[in-house]
Amino acid sequence: MTPEAAPDDCPGTDIDPFSDAFLADPFPFLEELRSLGDVFFLRKYQVWGVARHSQVTAVLQNPGVFSNAAGVGYSNLKKEEPWRAPSIILEVDPPVHTTTRGILTRVLSPRALRELQVRFAQEAEILADRLVTAGTFDAVTDLAQAFILKVFPDSLGLPPADRENLLTYGGITFNSLGPRNPRFDEAMRRAEEIKTWVSDNCARQALTPGGFGDKIFESADAGLVTEDEAALLVRSLLTAGVDTTVSAIGFAIRRFAEHPDQWELLRKNPSLIRSAFDEVVRIDSPVIGFFRTTTSETTLGTTTIPSERKVMVFFSGANRDPDRWEAPDRFDITRRTPGHTGFGAGIHGCAGQMVSRLETEALLTAFAQRVERWELSGPPTAALNNTLRALASLPVRVHQDAAHRAVPSPM
Ligand code: OVM
Protein backbone atom coordinates (compact mmCIF):
# COMPACT_ATOMS: atom_id res chain seq x y z
CA MET A 1 0.00 0.00 0.00
CA THR A 2 1.57 3.31 -1.02
CA PRO A 3 1.08 5.98 1.61
CA GLU A 4 -1.60 8.40 0.54
CA ALA A 5 -0.94 12.11 0.44
CA ALA A 6 -1.70 14.28 3.46
CA PRO A 7 -4.82 16.47 3.39
CA ASP A 8 -4.27 19.88 1.76
CA ASP A 9 -4.61 21.74 5.04
CA CYS A 10 -2.08 19.65 6.98
CA PRO A 11 1.67 19.05 6.60
CA GLY A 12 2.43 15.39 5.94
CA THR A 13 5.39 13.37 7.19
CA ASP A 14 6.87 9.93 6.63
CA ILE A 15 8.22 9.80 10.19
CA ASP A 16 7.19 6.44 11.67
CA PRO A 17 6.64 6.72 15.44
CA PHE A 18 6.59 2.92 15.70
CA SER A 19 9.92 2.30 13.94
CA ASP A 20 12.96 1.03 15.82
CA ALA A 21 14.80 4.28 15.09
CA PHE A 22 12.03 6.44 16.55
CA LEU A 23 11.55 4.26 19.61
CA ALA A 24 15.29 4.07 20.29
CA ASP A 25 15.54 7.88 20.37
CA PRO A 26 12.31 9.75 19.65
CA PHE A 27 13.51 13.23 20.56
CA PRO A 28 15.10 14.34 17.25
CA PHE A 29 11.98 13.07 15.45
CA LEU A 30 9.71 14.88 17.91
CA GLU A 31 11.58 18.11 17.23
CA GLU A 32 10.87 17.65 13.54
CA LEU A 33 7.22 16.82 14.21
CA ARG A 34 6.80 19.99 16.31
CA SER A 35 8.43 22.03 13.54
CA LEU A 36 5.86 20.83 10.99
CA GLY A 37 3.03 22.77 12.61
CA ASP A 38 0.25 22.57 15.16
CA VAL A 39 -1.00 19.38 13.52
CA PHE A 40 0.67 16.95 11.11
CA PHE A 41 -0.41 13.90 9.15
CA LEU A 42 1.47 10.61 9.62
CA ARG A 43 1.28 9.29 6.08
CA LYS A 44 2.25 5.72 6.85
CA TYR A 45 -0.65 5.31 9.29
CA GLN A 46 -3.08 7.84 7.79
CA VAL A 47 -3.64 9.52 11.15
CA TRP A 48 -3.19 13.05 12.47
CA GLY A 49 -0.76 13.96 15.21
CA VAL A 50 0.09 16.74 17.69
CA ALA A 51 3.46 17.20 19.41
CA ARG A 52 3.50 20.84 20.53
CA HIS A 53 2.67 21.51 24.17
CA SER A 54 -0.15 23.92 23.26
CA GLN A 55 -1.90 21.40 20.99
CA VAL A 56 -1.27 18.34 23.15
CA THR A 57 -2.93 20.05 26.10
CA ALA A 58 -5.72 21.48 23.90
CA VAL A 59 -6.62 17.96 22.73
CA LEU A 60 -6.37 16.43 26.21
CA GLN A 61 -8.56 19.19 27.67
CA ASN A 62 -11.32 18.59 25.13
CA PRO A 63 -12.55 15.03 25.77
CA GLY A 64 -15.95 15.74 24.21
CA VAL A 65 -14.36 16.05 20.77
CA PHE A 66 -11.25 13.94 21.36
CA SER A 67 -12.72 10.74 22.73
CA ASN A 68 -11.16 7.75 24.50
CA ALA A 69 -14.05 5.39 23.77
CA ALA A 70 -12.47 4.02 20.58
CA GLY A 71 -9.33 3.25 22.59
CA VAL A 72 -6.08 5.14 23.13
CA GLY A 73 -4.11 3.08 20.62
CA TYR A 74 -3.90 3.01 16.85
CA SER A 75 -6.69 0.48 16.48
CA ASN A 76 -10.29 1.69 16.64
CA LEU A 77 -11.91 -0.50 19.30
CA LYS A 78 -15.36 0.21 17.88
CA LYS A 79 -14.36 -1.17 14.49
CA GLU A 80 -11.81 -3.85 15.32
CA GLU A 81 -11.98 -6.72 17.78
CA PRO A 82 -9.91 -5.76 20.87
CA TRP A 83 -7.52 -8.36 22.33
CA ARG A 84 -8.93 -7.80 25.84
CA ALA A 85 -12.12 -6.38 27.29
CA PRO A 86 -11.77 -2.58 27.07
CA SER A 87 -10.77 -0.70 30.20
CA ILE A 88 -13.77 0.90 31.91
CA ILE A 89 -11.74 3.92 33.00
CA LEU A 90 -9.23 4.57 30.19
CA GLU A 91 -11.17 3.44 27.15
CA VAL A 92 -14.45 5.22 27.94
CA ASP A 93 -15.79 8.78 28.04
CA PRO A 94 -18.03 10.52 30.57
CA PRO A 95 -20.46 9.69 32.07
CA VAL A 96 -19.12 6.11 32.52
CA HIS A 97 -15.65 7.51 33.11
CA THR A 98 -16.91 9.90 35.78
CA THR A 99 -18.11 7.01 37.97
CA THR A 100 -15.10 4.75 37.54
CA ARG A 101 -12.61 7.59 37.89
CA GLY A 102 -14.39 8.65 41.07
CA ILE A 103 -13.89 5.16 42.49
CA LEU A 104 -10.16 5.08 41.78
CA THR A 105 -9.72 8.67 42.96
CA ARG A 106 -11.23 7.71 46.32
CA VAL A 107 -9.26 4.46 46.61
CA LEU A 108 -6.04 6.35 45.80
CA SER A 109 -6.89 9.32 48.04
CA PRO A 110 -4.13 11.16 49.92
CA ARG A 111 -5.37 9.63 53.19
CA ALA A 112 -5.24 6.08 51.80
CA LEU A 113 -1.78 6.77 50.46
CA ARG A 114 -0.38 8.17 53.71
CA GLU A 115 -0.70 4.72 55.19
CA LEU A 116 1.54 3.34 52.45
CA GLN A 117 4.36 5.79 52.92
CA VAL A 118 5.82 3.95 55.90
CA ARG A 119 5.77 0.61 54.12
CA PHE A 120 7.31 2.04 50.96
CA ALA A 121 10.09 3.62 53.03
CA GLN A 122 10.81 0.35 54.88
CA GLU A 123 11.01 -1.66 51.66
CA ALA A 124 13.15 1.00 50.01
CA GLU A 125 15.63 0.89 52.90
CA ILE A 126 15.83 -2.89 52.87
CA LEU A 127 16.49 -2.92 49.13
CA ALA A 128 18.94 0.00 49.26
CA ASP A 129 20.96 -1.65 52.05
CA ARG A 130 21.17 -4.87 50.06
CA LEU A 131 22.12 -3.26 46.75
CA VAL A 132 24.57 -0.77 48.23
CA THR A 133 26.30 -3.65 50.02
CA ALA A 134 26.50 -5.55 46.72
CA GLY A 135 28.02 -2.43 45.11
CA THR A 136 27.29 -3.35 41.48
CA PHE A 137 23.89 -4.32 40.17
CA ASP A 138 21.36 -3.73 37.42
CA ALA A 139 19.28 -0.66 38.27
CA VAL A 140 16.41 -1.86 36.08
CA THR A 141 16.02 -5.50 37.13
CA ASP A 142 17.56 -5.49 40.62
CA LEU A 143 16.29 -2.07 41.67
CA ALA A 144 13.31 -0.70 39.71
CA GLN A 145 11.59 -4.00 38.92
CA ALA A 146 12.42 -5.62 42.27
CA PHE A 147 11.03 -2.64 44.20
CA ILE A 148 7.85 -2.09 42.19
CA LEU A 149 7.02 -5.81 41.97
CA LYS A 150 7.25 -5.90 45.76
CA VAL A 151 5.49 -2.74 46.93
CA PHE A 152 2.86 -2.13 44.27
CA PRO A 153 1.20 -5.59 44.18
CA ASP A 154 1.54 -5.67 47.99
CA SER A 155 -0.42 -2.43 48.23
CA LEU A 156 -3.06 -3.90 45.92
CA GLY A 157 -3.26 -7.06 48.00
CA LEU A 158 -2.10 -9.37 45.22
CA PRO A 159 -0.72 -12.82 46.07
CA PRO A 160 3.09 -13.07 45.86
CA ALA A 161 3.43 -15.77 43.18
CA ASP A 162 4.52 -15.10 39.58
CA ARG A 163 4.54 -11.32 39.83
CA GLU A 164 6.90 -11.01 36.86
CA ASN A 165 3.75 -11.76 34.81
CA LEU A 166 2.77 -8.16 35.56
CA LEU A 167 5.75 -6.94 33.52
CA THR A 168 4.78 -9.23 30.66
CA TYR A 169 1.19 -7.98 30.83
CA GLY A 170 2.28 -4.35 30.81
CA GLY A 171 4.54 -5.06 27.83
CA ILE A 172 1.66 -6.67 25.95
CA THR A 173 -0.80 -3.88 26.73
CA PHE A 174 1.53 -1.06 25.76
CA ASN A 175 2.65 -2.83 22.57
CA SER A 176 -0.99 -3.47 21.69
CA LEU A 177 -1.61 0.28 21.47
CA GLY A 178 0.61 0.45 18.39
CA PRO A 179 -0.11 -0.77 14.88
CA ARG A 180 0.11 -4.46 14.02
CA ASN A 181 3.87 -4.64 13.59
CA PRO A 182 6.34 -7.38 14.64
CA ARG A 183 6.49 -5.94 18.17
CA PHE A 184 2.71 -6.19 18.43
CA ASP A 185 2.63 -9.79 17.11
CA GLU A 186 5.50 -10.91 19.34
CA ALA A 187 3.78 -9.44 22.42
CA MET A 188 0.49 -11.15 21.53
CA ARG A 189 2.05 -14.63 21.60
CA ARG A 190 1.63 -14.79 25.37
CA ALA A 191 -1.54 -12.73 25.58
CA GLU A 192 -4.05 -15.51 26.27
CA GLU A 193 -1.96 -17.17 28.98
CA ILE A 194 -1.15 -13.89 30.74
CA LYS A 195 -4.72 -12.60 30.42
CA THR A 196 -5.96 -15.66 32.32
CA TRP A 197 -3.40 -15.11 35.07
CA VAL A 198 -4.32 -11.42 35.33
CA SER A 199 -8.06 -12.00 35.52
CA ASP A 200 -7.56 -14.77 38.12
CA ASN A 201 -5.54 -12.31 40.19
CA CYS A 202 -8.11 -9.51 39.85
CA ALA A 203 -10.86 -11.64 41.39
CA ARG A 204 -12.12 -10.61 44.80
CA GLN A 205 -11.11 -13.86 46.48
CA ALA A 206 -7.53 -13.47 45.24
CA LEU A 207 -7.05 -10.11 46.96
CA THR A 208 -5.94 -9.54 50.55
CA PRO A 209 -8.40 -7.52 52.66
CA GLY A 210 -7.38 -3.89 53.19
CA GLY A 211 -5.49 -3.42 49.93
CA PHE A 212 -6.43 -1.15 47.01
CA GLY A 213 -7.98 -4.14 45.23
CA ASP A 214 -10.27 -4.95 48.13
CA LYS A 215 -11.26 -1.28 48.45
CA ILE A 216 -12.26 -1.24 44.79
CA PHE A 217 -14.58 -4.19 45.46
CA GLU A 218 -16.20 -2.21 48.28
CA SER A 219 -17.49 0.13 45.57
CA ALA A 220 -19.32 -2.89 44.13
CA ASP A 221 -20.86 -3.53 47.58
CA ALA A 222 -21.98 0.12 47.53
CA GLY A 223 -23.70 -0.48 44.18
CA LEU A 224 -21.52 1.89 42.14
CA VAL A 225 -20.28 -0.87 39.83
CA THR A 226 -20.79 -4.63 39.43
CA GLU A 227 -18.21 -7.10 40.78
CA ASP A 228 -17.07 -7.81 37.22
CA GLU A 229 -16.50 -4.09 36.72
CA ALA A 230 -14.62 -3.86 40.02
CA ALA A 231 -12.32 -6.63 38.77
CA LEU A 232 -11.70 -4.57 35.61
CA LEU A 233 -10.74 -1.56 37.73
CA VAL A 234 -8.26 -3.72 39.63
CA ARG A 235 -6.93 -4.76 36.23
CA SER A 236 -6.48 -1.07 35.32
CA LEU A 237 -4.18 -0.57 38.30
CA LEU A 238 -2.20 -3.68 37.36
CA THR A 239 -1.91 -2.50 33.76
CA ALA A 240 -0.95 1.07 34.39
CA GLY A 241 1.02 0.88 37.61
CA VAL A 242 3.96 -1.43 37.00
CA ASP A 243 5.94 -0.98 33.75
CA THR A 244 5.36 2.77 33.77
CA THR A 245 6.89 3.36 37.19
CA VAL A 246 9.65 0.80 36.56
CA SER A 247 10.52 2.76 33.43
CA ALA A 248 10.59 6.09 35.25
CA ILE A 249 12.84 4.72 38.00
CA GLY A 250 15.27 3.31 35.44
CA PHE A 251 15.43 6.66 33.67
CA ALA A 252 15.85 8.46 37.00
CA ILE A 253 18.91 6.43 37.92
CA ARG A 254 20.39 6.89 34.45
CA ARG A 255 19.89 10.65 34.72
CA PHE A 256 21.60 10.78 38.10
CA ALA A 257 24.48 8.60 36.88
CA GLU A 258 24.94 10.99 33.95
CA HIS A 259 24.45 14.14 36.04
CA PRO A 260 26.33 13.65 39.34
CA ASP A 261 25.90 17.38 40.09
CA GLN A 262 22.11 16.89 40.18
CA TRP A 263 22.50 13.89 42.51
CA GLU A 264 24.70 15.96 44.80
CA LEU A 265 22.11 18.73 44.79
CA LEU A 266 19.34 16.24 45.63
CA ARG A 267 21.38 14.75 48.49
CA LYS A 268 22.03 18.19 49.96
CA ASN A 269 18.39 19.12 49.60
CA PRO A 270 16.03 16.13 49.88
CA SER A 271 13.04 18.45 49.53
CA LEU A 272 13.94 18.47 45.82
CA ILE A 273 13.19 14.74 45.50
CA ARG A 274 9.58 15.27 44.49
CA SER A 275 10.31 17.77 41.72
CA ALA A 276 13.29 15.64 40.65
CA PHE A 277 10.98 12.73 39.91
CA ASP A 278 8.59 14.93 37.93
CA GLU A 279 11.54 16.32 36.02
CA VAL A 280 12.45 12.74 35.03
CA VAL A 281 8.86 12.07 33.95
CA ARG A 282 8.97 15.27 31.91
CA ILE A 283 12.30 14.80 30.21
CA ASP A 284 12.12 11.03 29.66
CA SER A 285 8.33 10.69 29.13
CA PRO A 286 7.85 6.95 29.75
CA VAL A 287 4.60 7.02 27.77
CA ILE A 288 5.44 8.36 24.29
CA GLY A 289 1.83 9.21 23.56
CA PHE A 290 -1.74 7.95 23.36
CA PHE A 291 -4.36 8.38 20.64
CA ARG A 292 -7.70 10.11 20.76
CA THR A 293 -10.56 9.71 18.24
CA THR A 294 -12.63 12.66 16.98
CA THR A 295 -16.36 12.53 17.72
CA SER A 296 -17.16 15.23 15.13
CA GLU A 297 -15.38 17.29 12.50
CA THR A 298 -13.08 19.66 14.34
CA THR A 299 -10.45 22.29 13.64
CA LEU A 300 -7.06 22.31 15.31
CA GLY A 301 -4.80 25.20 14.33
CA THR A 302 -5.53 25.54 10.61
CA THR A 303 -6.32 21.86 10.07
CA THR A 304 -9.80 20.41 9.84
CA ILE A 305 -10.00 16.79 11.01
CA PRO A 306 -13.07 14.78 9.98
CA SER A 307 -15.18 12.85 12.49
CA GLU A 308 -14.08 9.39 13.73
CA ARG A 309 -10.38 9.88 12.93
CA LYS A 310 -7.46 8.96 15.13
CA VAL A 311 -5.12 11.67 16.43
CA MET A 312 -1.82 10.67 18.02
CA VAL A 313 -1.06 12.85 21.03
CA PHE A 314 2.68 12.97 21.75
CA PHE A 315 3.05 13.58 25.50
CA SER A 316 6.79 13.20 24.90
CA GLY A 317 6.74 15.99 22.30
CA ALA A 318 4.96 18.44 24.59
CA ASN A 319 7.47 17.69 27.33
CA ARG A 320 10.41 18.92 25.21
CA ASP A 321 8.67 21.83 23.50
CA PRO A 322 11.01 24.87 23.65
CA ASP A 323 7.94 27.15 23.43
CA ARG A 324 6.88 25.79 26.83
CA TRP A 325 10.15 24.83 28.54
CA GLU A 326 13.38 26.74 28.89
CA ALA A 327 16.23 24.54 27.66
CA PRO A 328 13.87 21.53 27.44
CA ASP A 329 16.67 19.00 26.94
CA ARG A 330 18.42 20.04 30.16
CA PHE A 331 17.82 17.84 33.21
CA ASP A 332 17.26 20.29 36.05
CA ILE A 333 15.74 19.02 39.29
CA THR A 334 14.99 22.58 40.40
CA ARG A 335 12.80 23.18 37.36
CA ARG A 336 9.14 24.08 37.93
CA THR A 337 7.59 20.99 36.35
CA PRO A 338 3.81 21.52 36.70
CA GLY A 339 2.23 21.43 33.27
CA HIS A 340 4.32 18.52 32.00
CA THR A 341 2.27 15.89 30.17
CA GLY A 342 4.23 12.83 31.25
CA PHE A 343 1.14 11.73 33.17
CA GLY A 344 -1.16 12.98 30.42
CA ALA A 345 -3.55 15.80 31.38
CA GLY A 346 -7.24 16.49 31.76
CA ILE A 347 -9.89 14.03 32.90
CA HIS A 348 -7.80 10.99 31.97
CA GLY A 349 -4.58 12.28 33.56
CA CYS A 350 -2.83 9.46 35.44
CA ALA A 351 -4.98 8.40 38.42
CA GLY A 352 -2.02 6.67 40.09
CA GLN A 353 0.51 9.45 39.78
CA MET A 354 0.60 10.06 43.53
CA VAL A 355 1.37 6.38 44.12
CA SER A 356 4.27 6.59 41.67
CA ARG A 357 5.56 9.72 43.42
CA LEU A 358 5.42 8.03 46.82
CA GLU A 359 7.20 4.94 45.51
CA THR A 360 9.99 6.86 43.85
CA GLU A 361 10.38 9.31 46.72
CA ALA A 362 10.86 6.39 49.08
CA LEU A 363 13.52 4.90 46.81
CA LEU A 364 15.38 8.12 46.07
CA THR A 365 15.35 9.01 49.78
CA ALA A 366 16.83 5.65 50.77
CA PHE A 367 19.52 5.79 48.09
CA ALA A 368 20.32 9.46 48.71
CA GLN A 369 21.23 8.55 52.28
CA ARG A 370 23.59 5.80 51.15
CA VAL A 371 24.98 6.59 47.70
CA GLU A 372 27.44 9.38 47.06
CA ARG A 373 27.69 8.76 43.34
CA TRP A 374 26.21 6.49 40.67
CA GLU A 375 28.51 5.16 37.98
CA LEU A 376 27.44 3.35 34.84
CA SER A 377 29.37 0.08 34.81
CA GLY A 378 28.23 -0.89 31.32
CA PRO A 379 26.12 0.47 28.51
CA PRO A 380 22.39 0.82 29.26
CA THR A 381 20.16 -1.08 26.85
CA ALA A 382 16.69 -0.03 25.69
CA ALA A 383 13.56 -2.18 25.70
CA LEU A 384 11.67 -1.15 22.55
CA ASN A 385 7.89 -1.05 22.90
CA ASN A 386 5.26 0.57 20.67
CA THR A 387 4.12 2.97 23.42
CA LEU A 388 6.33 2.74 26.48
CA ARG A 389 9.90 3.94 26.59
CA ALA A 390 12.01 1.93 28.99
CA LEU A 391 15.45 0.59 29.67
CA ALA A 392 15.96 -3.17 29.62
CA SER A 393 19.09 -2.94 31.71
CA LEU A 394 21.20 -0.32 33.45
CA PRO A 395 24.40 -1.76 34.95
CA VAL A 396 25.63 0.48 37.76
CA ARG A 397 28.28 0.68 40.44
CA VAL A 398 27.45 2.73 43.49
CA HIS A 399 29.94 4.69 45.53
CA GLN A 400 28.82 4.37 49.09
CA ASP A 401 28.57 7.29 51.45
CA ALA A 402 31.31 6.66 54.02
CA ALA A 403 29.19 8.24 56.74
CA HIS A 404 26.33 5.80 56.21
CA ARG A 405 26.94 2.27 57.44
CA ALA A 406 24.72 -0.23 55.66
CA VAL A 407 23.46 -2.21 58.59
CA PRO A 408 21.64 -5.46 57.95
CA SER A 409 17.94 -4.95 58.60
CA PRO A 410 16.48 -6.74 61.65
CA MET A 411 14.46 -9.96 61.21
C1 OVM B 1 -6.27 0.69 31.96
C2 OVM B 1 -5.10 1.60 31.75
C3 OVM B 1 -5.03 2.81 32.41
C4 OVM B 1 -3.99 3.68 32.20
C5 OVM B 1 -2.97 3.33 31.34
C6 OVM B 1 -3.03 2.13 30.70
C7 OVM B 1 -2.25 1.03 28.78
C8 OVM B 1 -4.09 1.25 30.89
O1 OVM B 1 -7.26 1.16 32.50
O2 OVM B 1 -6.19 -0.48 31.60
O3 OVM B 1 -2.02 1.84 29.85
Side-chain angles (χ1 to χ4, degrees), residues 84 87 89-90 173-174 177 236 239-240 290:
R84 62 168 199 168
S87 162
I89 182 163
L90 181 69
T173 316
F174 284 98
L177 299 176
S236 284
T239 311
F290 279 165

Side-chain angles (χ1 to χ4, degrees), residues 94-390:
V96 175
H97 171 265
T98 315
T99 303
T100 52
R101 176 71 186 217
I103 291 168
L104 286 199
T105 300
R106 200 174 37 77
V107 168
L108 304 174
S109 72
R111 197 179 57 82
L113 297 187
R114 261 203 310 276
E115 295 166 16
L116 288 177
Q117 209 159 14
V118 178
R119 271 192 284 159
F120 288 174
Q122 284 170 345
E123 292 300 335
E125 286 174 16
I126 291 169
L127 183 63
D129 277 339
R130 193 158 58 72
L131 293 179
V132 170
T133 302
T136 61
F137 55 90
D138 189 314
V140 171
T141 54
D142 301 330
L143 195 169
Q145 293 179 357
F147 184 68
I148 294 302
L149 287 183
K150 171 70 183 146
V151 303
F152 187 68
D154 274 3
S155 68
L156 258 140
L158 221 66
D162 303 324
R163 288 180 170 185
E164 64 284 354
N165 283 344
L166 294 171
L167 294 168
T168 312
Y169 188 66
I172 296 170
T173 316
F174 284 98
N175 270 319
S176 79
L177 299 176
R180 248 200 107 140
N181 57 15
R183 254 183 292 283
F184 181 112
D185 289 333
E186 172 62 26
M188 280 302 148
R189 294 193 323 155
R190 292 193 65 194
E192 288 308 313
E193 161 212 350
I194 300 290
K195 245 166 42 174
T196 304
W197 182 87
V198 166
S199 70
D200 288 350
N201 279 274
C202 291
R204 188 167 204 169
Q205 64 273 15
L207 300 163
T208 312
F212 290 147
D214 188 53
K215 286 184 189 150
I216 290 172
F217 276 96
E218 286 172 11
S219 65
D221 298 337
L224 292 170
V225 286
T226 66
E227 289 225 348
D228 287 350
E229 289 168 336
L232 280 176
L233 287 175
V234 175
R235 192 195 68 174
S236 284
L237 295 189
L238 293 184
T239 311
V242 178
D243 294 53
T244 47
T245 317
V246 167
S247 164
I249 294 167
F251 285 131
I253 304 302
R254 186 177 68 174
R255 288 284 167 187
F256 286 118
E258 288 172 349
H259 301 276
D261 58 313
Q262 296 290 303
W263 184 248
E264 218 177 288
L265 191 60
L266 177 148
R267 297 188 73 212
K268 284 201 191 111
N269 193 349
S271 68
L272 288 174
I273 286 177
R274 175 156 300 203
S275 62
F277 174 64
D278 271 274
E279 173 66 347
V280 172
V281 175
R282 180 195 68 83
I283 199 167
D284 286 318
S285 295
V287 177
I288 297 167
F290 279 165
F291 288 81
R292 294 292 189 264
T293 308
T294 54
T295 57
S296 61
E297 183 181 284
T298 189
T299 302
L300 263 186
T302 55
T303 299
T304 299
I305 307 174
S307 184
E308 288 184 58
R309 301 308 161 98
K310 285 275 180 177
V311 179
M312 189 169 180
V313 184
F314 288 90
F315 306 162
S316 51
N319 279 338
R320 300 279 193 113
D321 185 347
D323 286 345
R324 173 62 180 79
W325 309 100
E326 196 191 316
D329 299 332
R330 189 177 68 216
F331 177 59
D332 174 6
I333 67 169
T334 68
R335 187 191 290 276
R336 281 189 296 274
T337 57
H340 79 71
T341 55
F343 290 117
I347 65 167
H348 290 283
C350 180
Q353 58 186 281
M354 289 311 293
V355 183
S356 80
R357 289 197 183 97
L358 281 183
E359 289 167 334
T360 50
E361 278 175 43
L363 266 186
L364 291 175
T365 302
F367 279 94
Q369 289 163 355
R370 293 161 175 81
V371 171
E372 216 162 60
R373 188 162 64 84
W374 299 89
E375 185 192 337
L376 297 182
S377 59
T381 59
L384 300 193
N385 177 290
N386 282 335
T387 307
L388 191 71
R389 282 164 39 71

